[in-house]
Amino acid sequence: MGLAPASADNPLATTPTPALRSLLGGPLTVEQVGAGEGWLLLPLDARLGVDGLPQSATGQTALFTGVNAPAAIGHHVTAFPGPQLRAILAEHSVLKRAAEAGRRVTFANPFTRAYFERLETRRRRTHSATTWAALAAGVELRGPGDLAAGRAVSWDVLRDRFQAALSDGEGPVPEVSAEEAGGHLAALAGDHHVTLYETFLTDLAGHFRFGLTAADALTRVDGLLAGLLAARPADVTLLLSSDHGNVEAGDHKRHTLNPVPLLAVGPAARRFAGLEAITDLAPRMLEVLAEG
């Protein structure tokens, strides 16, 4: 998800997103960059001085470590992190560093049995950079039982696509509304100092994959935010960002060169003012955590 001007080709401008529009006074576009009561919206550079389109593996590594990952290996890397990126995540993961400082950290996403079977049989090459960032902190990955009990939030928000991937004996996992899922995420955030949640709905929709439309993806994400903001404990600050642009360009299915949003909502929102690139986020998070 990138931050671009409002236009007829920008689904972020044309899709009804009541939670975001109520908060920002308009859609999640560059026109809303600024600050309001308890919130801040900034554009963050995802290109990081490296030619080419920003990609997932290097972008996520940079976002979760503060290290300029594409510069470190000389190019942007798509999809999954190789050994060099995994080494950066293992050493510099913001979750790991927060845990080492005595903070409670967690990863909200659940995983199916089939996911681990694909890893074992090498039908899936490796974890995403996001998952490696969580594993570096020693967190225990959640499963379908956690999801059914409201102690996890699936990448698809509503659980419908997640449930289709369950093996015998793992379900059923009842579907929920996007707002209910947001409430579950708020509860996890209230119990931890850092709660990481990943959705790739907007990226799949931006690539025109699996029949997901931009409107469907953005509606789910906005509903999740509505539930999260409504149930968010008063001392929790929400940070929403991305590894690269994509869904904001509805006229093609490539990544973009646009900056990505940093939306901060909550008591520490103004502490994130002045950030310029995705590599600035993890260091500032650690500063804010150190301040208590």
Side-chain angles (χ1 to χ4, degrees):
M1 178 189 293
L3 199 58
S7 73
D9 292 325
N10 184 349
L12 284 161
T14 59
T15 302
T17 49
L20 283 166
R21 289 170 186 256
S22 176
L23 176 70
L24 302 174
L28 188 63
T29 61
V30 294
E31 289 82 4
Q32 269 57 252
V33 167
E37 185 65 34
W39 64 268
L40 173 75
L41 177 63
L42 295 174
L44 297 183
D45 171 40
R47 301 170 69 176
L48 302 179
V50 177
D51 290 339
L53 294 175
Q55 300 291 340
S56 299
T58 38
Q60 291 165 12
T61 300
L63 192 65
F64 295 129
T65 66
V67 175
N68 188 331
I73 63 175
H75 59 282
H76 298 283
V77 176
T78 188
F80 303 110
Q84 289 176 287
L85 294 179
R86 295 201 296 268
I88 293 172
L89 289 158
E91 182 176 357
H92 299 287
S93 164
V94 66
L95 271 72
K96 176 190 176 184
R97 295 167 70 187
E100 290 173 342
R103 305 301 183 184
R104 297 186 306 278
V105 304
T106 194
F107 189 22
N109 292 65
F111 293 79
T112 64
R113 186 189 310 150
Y115 173 89
F116 295 105
E117 289 174 350
R118 289 197 301 273
L119 284 174
E120 291 173 4
T121 58
R122 300 191 178 183
R123 286 178 292 158
R124 180 186 176 95
R125 187 170 34 165
T126 185
H127 298 294
S128 71
T130 310
T131 305
W132 281 115
L135 291 172
V139 302
E140 183 177 348
L141 297 182
R142 299 171 186 272
D146 296 298
L147 185 62
R151 297 189 300 267
V153 181
S154 58
W155 68 268
D156 60 347
V157 180
L158 306 183
R159 305 178 177 178
D160 53 338
R161 292 172 180 267
F162 182 89
Q163 184 157 221
L166 295 177
S167 303
D168 291 342
E170 283 193 298
V173 176
E175 292 185 21
V176 294
S177 68
E179 290 77 10
E180 287 175 310
H184 296 158
L185 188 55
L188 285 173
D191 289 337
H192 298 86
H193 294 103
V194 182
T195 300
L196 173 62
Y197 169 70
E198 174 183 48
T199 179
F200 33 92
L201 279 165
T202 50
D203 193 50
L204 292 175
H207 287 304
F208 306 166
R209 296 185 65 191
F210 303 132
L212 277 167
T213 67
D216 181 34
L218 292 170
T219 297
R220 293 185 187 215
V221 171
D222 190 72
L224 177 81
L225 291 173
L228 173 56
L229 293 172
R232 176 180 59 87
D235 61 343
V236 167
T237 296
L238 160 71
L239 301 173
L240 181 151
S241 194
S242 182
D243 49 356
H244 56 72
N246 187 353
V247 76
E248 77 282 4
D251 58 342
H252 64 76
K253 60 181 180 179
R254 301 180 304 278
H255 292 182
T256 73
L257 297 174
N258 291 322
V260 299
L262 171 62
L263 174 62
V265 185
R270 296 298 180 96
R271 289 288 291 109
F272 294 88
L275 303 193
E276 297 180 350
I278 57 175
T279 46
D280 297 332
L281 184 56
R284 184 61 56 84
M285 286 177 63
L286 293 171
E287 290 175 8
V288 172
L289 287 168
E291 294 168 358

